Amino acid sequence: MKTKLVIAAIASTLAMPLLAADSFSPYVDGKGQINLPKNFRSDFVHLGSWAVTDDKSAARGFHDVYTERKSLDHYRKTGVFPDGATLVKEIRNLETGPLTTGNPVHWAGDPAVWFVMIKDGKGRFPGNPLWEDGWGWAMYKADDPRKNAASSYKADCQACHIPAAQTDRVFVQGYPLLKKQ
């Protein structure tokens, strides 16, 4: 009976997804591949929202940003995101129309893209082009949310995050929950 339990425990362990060497994030495998967290809208804390209304902008849409409760608590105590923190930005199509509250009114429509950042304070994936400036970077499009569409941080992410270099590449001014209370 004891042997069966040991074999079952080993089989269970082998069936688990391969995590990074020190298991710092359940959303990252041992090669540095980042997965889009499931249920982030219900399991994470909503930090804040942005609306980009410029018709010519590639970022046009309603931007909602989420993180884990423990990452939020750590940030509020220390002013920095902890190693392994996950940030998810969901961009939803911007819907516009007249409502009783005003004209035009803007609201979030269907999801278009998700961006995921994982804080890496230890440089775990040297040479991986999606891990630079202290974070892992990923982008998922609504037509295939299982595939990371980003090829490298420098090509796909860096340009947008340069203005936030002084705040660890995160636009913290849009997230009221990050402020100490």
Side-chain angles (χ1 to χ4, degrees):
M1 181 69 165
K2 199 173 192 179
T3 303
K4 287 183 181 180
L5 290 174
V6 170
I7 291 172
I10 292 170
S12 173
T13 301
L14 292 174
M16 296 172 96
L18 182 62
L19 297 176
D22 61 0
S23 300
F24 82 109
S25 172
Y27 310 111
V28 180
D29 72 14
K31 295 179 181 177
Q33 298 302 311
I34 297 171
N35 295 304
L36 175 63
K38 294 178 183 166
N39 304 319
F40 65 87
R41 284 189 216 112
S42 59
D43 295 347
F44 284 25
V45 178
H46 180 250
L47 293 178
S49 300
W50 302 81
V52 178
T53 60
D54 182 353
D55 289 331
K56 296 175 186 169
S57 175
R60 178 179 166 77
F62 204 87
H63 301 223
D64 285 307
V65 179
Y66 303 83
T67 195
E68 305 99 332
R69 167 61 64 184
K70 66 182 180 181
S71 295
L72 170 62
D73 293 343
H74 186 275
Y75 187 94
R76 290 179 72 181
K77 287 178 188 169
T78 66
V80 296
F81 285 101
D83 192 52
T86 305
L87 295 176
V88 177
K89 177 170 42 169
E90 177 177 55
I91 301 179
R92 298 171 77 82
N93 293 320
L94 193 63
E95 303 291 334
T96 304
L99 295 177
T100 56
T101 55
N103 185 16
V105 173
H106 304 285
W107 63 90
D110 292 332
V113 67
W114 298 271
F115 294 95
V116 181
M117 295 169 57
I118 308 282
K119 181 67 180 167
D120 179 19
K122 298 181 180 180
R124 289 170 177 84
F125 304 103
N128 185 324
L130 290 169
W131 290 84
E132 293 196 37
D133 283 339
W135 293 89
W137 306 82
M139 174 179 63
Y140 297 89
K141 296 180 179 180
D143 62 352
D144 191 359
R146 294 178 309 268
K147 180 185 176 199
N148 184 354
S151 61
S152 78
Y153 164 69
K154 287 180 180 170
D156 302 316
C157 309
Q158 186 179 39
C160 289
H161 288 267
I162 286 173
Q166 296 301 312
T167 52
D168 198 18
R169 309 286 176 199
V170 179
F171 293 92
V172 297
Q173 69 272 28
Y175 311 132
L177 285 181
L178 293 180
K179 296 177 182 168
K180 292 181 183 181
Q181 291 183 351

